[in-house]
Amino acid sequence: MTALLVIDPYNDFIFEGRQIVGLLKAVAEANKCVPYMLQVLNAARNAELRVFYALHRRYRPGDYETWKYIAPVQKAAWVHKSFEYGTWGGEVRSEFKPQPGDIVALEHWGSSGFANTDLDLQLKKHGIHQLIVMGLIAHTCVEATVRYAAELGYEVTMVKDATADYSDEEMHAALDINIPNLRHCHCDHN
Protein backbone atom coordinates (compact mmCIF):
# COMPACT_ATOMS: atom_id res chain seq x y z
CA MET A 1 0.00 0.00 0.00
CA THR A 2 1.02 3.58 -0.64
CA ALA A 3 0.81 6.56 1.70
CA LEU A 4 1.72 10.23 1.64
CA LEU A 5 4.34 11.37 4.14
CA VAL A 6 4.23 15.09 4.98
CA ILE A 7 7.34 16.53 6.64
CA ASP A 8 7.36 19.70 8.78
CA PRO A 9 4.67 21.96 7.29
CA TYR A 10 4.99 24.35 10.26
CA ASN A 11 3.99 28.01 10.15
CA ASP A 12 7.60 28.96 11.00
CA PHE A 13 8.63 27.38 7.67
CA ILE A 14 5.90 28.27 5.25
CA PHE A 15 4.01 31.32 6.42
CA GLU A 16 5.03 34.77 5.21
CA GLY A 17 6.84 36.85 7.79
CA ARG A 18 7.99 33.99 9.98
CA GLN A 19 11.57 33.63 11.15
CA ILE A 20 12.65 30.77 8.89
CA VAL A 21 10.47 31.38 5.84
CA GLY A 22 12.56 34.40 4.88
CA LEU A 23 15.48 32.06 4.28
CA LEU A 24 13.31 29.74 2.20
CA LYS A 25 11.26 32.37 0.40
CA ALA A 26 13.15 32.70 -2.88
CA VAL A 27 13.38 28.97 -3.54
CA ALA A 28 9.87 28.22 -2.23
CA GLU A 29 8.32 30.90 -4.42
CA ALA A 30 10.37 29.94 -7.48
CA ASN A 31 9.10 26.36 -7.45
CA LYS A 32 5.67 27.22 -5.96
CA CYS A 33 6.35 24.82 -3.09
CA VAL A 34 3.30 25.57 -0.93
CA PRO A 35 0.71 25.37 -3.74
CA TYR A 36 2.27 22.10 -4.96
CA MET A 37 2.31 20.68 -1.43
CA LEU A 38 -1.39 21.52 -1.11
CA GLN A 39 -2.12 20.01 -4.53
CA VAL A 40 -0.34 16.76 -3.58
CA LEU A 41 -2.09 16.59 -0.20
CA ASN A 42 -5.51 17.13 -1.77
CA ALA A 43 -4.80 14.55 -4.49
CA ALA A 44 -3.74 12.01 -1.84
CA ARG A 45 -6.87 12.64 0.21
CA ASN A 46 -9.07 12.38 -2.93
CA ALA A 47 -7.37 9.07 -3.80
CA GLU A 48 -8.05 7.93 -0.21
CA LEU A 49 -4.36 7.42 0.53
CA ARG A 50 -3.53 7.44 4.22
CA VAL A 51 -1.56 10.53 5.23
CA PHE A 52 1.30 10.37 7.73
CA TYR A 53 3.11 13.29 9.33
CA ALA A 54 6.76 13.40 10.36
CA LEU A 55 7.05 16.56 12.43
CA HIS A 56 10.18 18.10 13.86
CA ARG A 57 10.52 18.48 17.61
CA ARG A 58 8.85 21.71 18.64
CA TYR A 59 11.20 23.68 20.87
CA ARG A 60 10.43 23.64 24.58
CA PRO A 61 12.52 25.37 27.28
CA GLY A 62 14.96 22.87 28.76
CA ASP A 63 15.23 20.74 25.61
CA TYR A 64 18.95 21.21 25.00
CA GLU A 65 20.49 23.04 27.95
CA THR A 66 22.00 19.92 29.55
CA TRP A 67 22.97 18.04 26.40
CA LYS A 68 26.63 17.15 26.04
CA TYR A 69 26.57 17.32 22.23
CA ILE A 70 24.16 19.36 20.17
CA ALA A 71 24.00 18.88 16.40
CA PRO A 72 23.91 22.10 14.35
CA VAL A 73 20.23 21.57 13.43
CA GLN A 74 19.37 21.19 17.10
CA LYS A 75 21.47 24.20 18.12
CA ALA A 76 19.64 26.29 15.52
CA ALA A 77 16.28 25.11 16.93
CA TRP A 78 17.43 26.10 20.42
CA VAL A 79 18.82 29.50 19.43
CA HIS A 80 15.87 30.46 17.22
CA LYS A 81 13.22 28.60 19.24
CA SER A 82 12.14 26.99 15.98
CA PHE A 83 8.60 25.67 15.91
CA GLU A 84 8.23 26.65 19.56
CA TYR A 85 5.65 24.51 21.33
CA GLY A 86 2.48 26.42 22.20
CA THR A 87 3.15 29.21 19.71
CA TRP A 88 1.61 29.95 16.33
CA GLY A 89 4.97 29.28 14.62
CA GLY A 90 5.03 25.78 16.13
CA GLU A 91 1.65 24.88 14.66
CA VAL A 92 1.11 23.08 11.37
CA ARG A 93 -0.04 25.55 8.72
CA SER A 94 -3.85 25.45 8.60
CA GLU A 95 -4.17 23.93 5.10
CA PHE A 96 -1.90 21.05 6.11
CA LYS A 97 -3.31 20.23 9.55
CA PRO A 98 -3.79 16.51 10.17
CA GLN A 99 -7.36 15.29 9.64
CA PRO A 100 -9.18 12.46 11.42
CA GLY A 101 -7.60 9.19 10.31
CA ASP A 102 -4.20 10.75 9.59
CA ILE A 103 -1.25 9.39 11.56
CA VAL A 104 1.11 11.80 13.33
CA ALA A 105 4.37 10.12 14.32
CA LEU A 106 6.31 11.12 17.39
CA GLU A 107 8.34 14.30 16.80
CA HIS A 108 11.89 13.82 15.50
CA TRP A 109 14.78 15.50 17.31
CA GLY A 110 17.30 15.49 14.46
CA SER A 111 16.62 15.43 10.75
CA SER A 112 15.15 11.98 10.06
CA GLY A 113 11.45 11.47 10.65
CA PHE A 114 12.31 7.84 11.48
CA ALA A 115 15.14 8.12 14.01
CA ASN A 116 13.88 7.81 17.59
CA THR A 117 10.20 7.99 16.55
CA ASP A 118 7.40 5.52 15.93
CA LEU A 119 7.07 6.32 12.20
CA ASP A 120 8.36 2.94 10.96
CA LEU A 121 6.07 1.09 13.39
CA GLN A 122 3.06 3.17 12.34
CA LEU A 123 3.74 2.60 8.63
CA LYS A 124 4.19 -1.15 9.10
CA LYS A 125 1.08 -1.47 11.27
CA HIS A 126 -0.90 0.18 8.46
CA GLY A 127 0.61 -2.07 5.77
CA ILE A 128 2.48 0.75 4.01
CA HIS A 129 5.49 -0.14 1.84
CA GLN A 130 5.46 2.74 -0.66
CA LEU A 131 5.82 6.38 0.33
CA ILE A 132 5.17 9.59 -1.53
CA VAL A 133 7.20 12.26 0.30
CA MET A 134 6.89 16.02 0.43
CA GLY A 135 7.74 18.76 2.89
CA LEU A 136 10.60 20.76 4.29
CA ILE A 137 13.59 21.24 4.13
CA ALA A 138 15.02 19.35 1.15
CA HIS A 139 18.63 18.91 2.29
CA THR A 140 17.88 18.19 5.96
CA CYS A 141 14.66 16.56 7.18
CA VAL A 142 13.40 15.49 3.76
CA GLU A 143 16.67 13.96 2.59
CA ALA A 144 17.36 12.28 5.94
CA THR A 145 13.84 10.84 6.10
CA VAL A 146 13.95 9.59 2.51
CA ARG A 147 17.38 8.03 3.10
CA TYR A 148 16.20 6.25 6.24
CA ALA A 149 13.01 5.07 4.49
CA ALA A 150 15.05 3.58 1.65
CA GLU A 151 17.37 1.84 4.12
CA LEU A 152 14.32 0.34 5.84
CA GLY A 153 13.13 -1.05 2.50
CA TYR A 154 10.36 1.38 1.59
CA GLU A 155 9.88 2.37 -2.04
CA VAL A 156 10.04 6.16 -2.04
CA THR A 157 8.82 8.77 -4.49
CA MET A 158 9.93 12.32 -3.72
CA VAL A 159 7.79 15.10 -5.18
CA LYS A 160 10.47 17.61 -6.18
CA ASP A 161 8.13 20.58 -6.56
CA ALA A 162 6.64 20.03 -3.11
CA THR A 163 9.75 20.98 -1.15
CA ALA A 164 12.05 23.97 -0.73
CA ASP A 165 15.42 24.85 0.69
CA TYR A 166 17.57 27.81 1.67
CA SER A 167 19.30 27.93 -1.71
CA ASP A 168 19.19 26.46 -5.20
CA GLU A 169 22.51 24.73 -4.46
CA GLU A 170 21.12 22.91 -1.44
CA MET A 171 17.99 21.93 -3.39
CA HIS A 172 20.15 20.64 -6.24
CA ALA A 173 22.39 18.62 -3.91
CA ALA A 174 19.41 16.98 -2.20
CA LEU A 175 17.06 16.43 -5.14
CA ASP A 176 19.40 15.93 -8.07
CA ILE A 177 22.44 14.29 -6.48
CA ASN A 178 21.73 12.64 -3.12
CA ILE A 179 18.12 11.42 -3.15
CA PRO A 180 18.24 9.84 -6.65
CA ASN A 181 21.14 7.65 -5.49
CA LEU A 182 19.01 5.97 -2.85
CA ARG A 183 17.74 2.45 -3.44
CA HIS A 184 14.08 2.33 -4.58
CA CYS A 185 13.83 6.09 -4.65
CA HIS A 186 12.38 8.17 -7.46
CA CYS A 187 12.29 11.94 -7.74
CA ASP A 188 9.23 13.08 -9.66
CA HIS A 189 7.72 16.42 -10.47
CA ASN A 190 4.10 16.65 -9.44
Side-chain angles (χ1 to χ4, degrees):
M1 289 180 58
T2 301
L4 175 65
L5 180 59
V6 183
I7 302 172
D8 295 340
Y10 286 119
N11 285 328
D12 268 352
F13 264 153
I14 55 176
F15 209 97
E16 187 65 37
R18 298 308 297 167
Q19 61 181 344
I20 302 171
V21 80
L23 301 170
L24 296 169
K25 185 176 181 177
V27 175
E29 286 182 353
N31 74 340
K32 299 180 179 119
C33 169
V34 174
Y36 281 127
M37 285 177 63
L38 191 55
Q39 180 182 352
V40 171
L41 179 61
N42 289 334
R45 291 194 191 289
N46 289 336
E48 298 182 0
L49 294 182
R50 188 168 297 273
V51 179
F52 289 77
Y53 286 80
L55 301 175
H56 203 282
R57 170 75 178 182
R58 291 172 291 161
Y59 170 80
R60 294 162 178 85
D63 275 354
Y64 304 106
E65 284 85 342
T66 59
W67 284 23
K68 188 172 185 173
Y69 172 74
I70 300 174
V73 68
Q74 293 158 335
K75 185 168 187 166
W78 180 15
V79 170
H80 300 292
K81 296 180 175 44
S82 302
F83 329 119
E84 187 172 8
Y85 183 80
T87 68
W88 183 82
E91 293 176 9
V92 171
R93 184 170 163 156
S94 62
E95 305 98 296
F96 300 100
K97 284 193 187 277
Q99 302 298 308
D102 293 348
I103 306 298
V104 180
L106 296 172
E107 295 175 348
H108 55 272
W109 285 82
S111 292
S112 173
F114 285 95
N116 303 307
T117 75
D118 64 343
L119 181 58
D120 185 46
L121 174 71
Q122 291 287 355
L123 292 166
K124 287 178 178 166
K125 290 293 185 181
H126 289 89
I128 305 301
H129 56 87
Q130 295 175 315
L131 294 173
I132 299 167
V133 178
M134 68 174 194
L136 300 160
I137 292 178
H139 84 280
T140 56
C141 293
V142 171
E143 182 179 332
T145 302
V146 167
R147 181 177 305 279
Y148 210 121
E151 290 182 8
L152 289 171
Y154 293 95
E155 184 174 340
V156 182
T157 299
M158 175 67 218
V159 185
K160 291 173 80 170
D161 293 329
T163 190
D165 214 313
Y166 300 130
S167 70
D168 290 331
E169 292 79 16
E170 287 162 317
M171 282 274 285
H172 171 70
L175 300 178
D176 299 327
I177 298 171
N178 296 338
I179 291 176
N181 285 315
L182 300 173
R183 179 184 65 136
H184 300 300
C185 182
H186 313 284
C187 280
D188 292 329
H189 287 278
N190 59 13

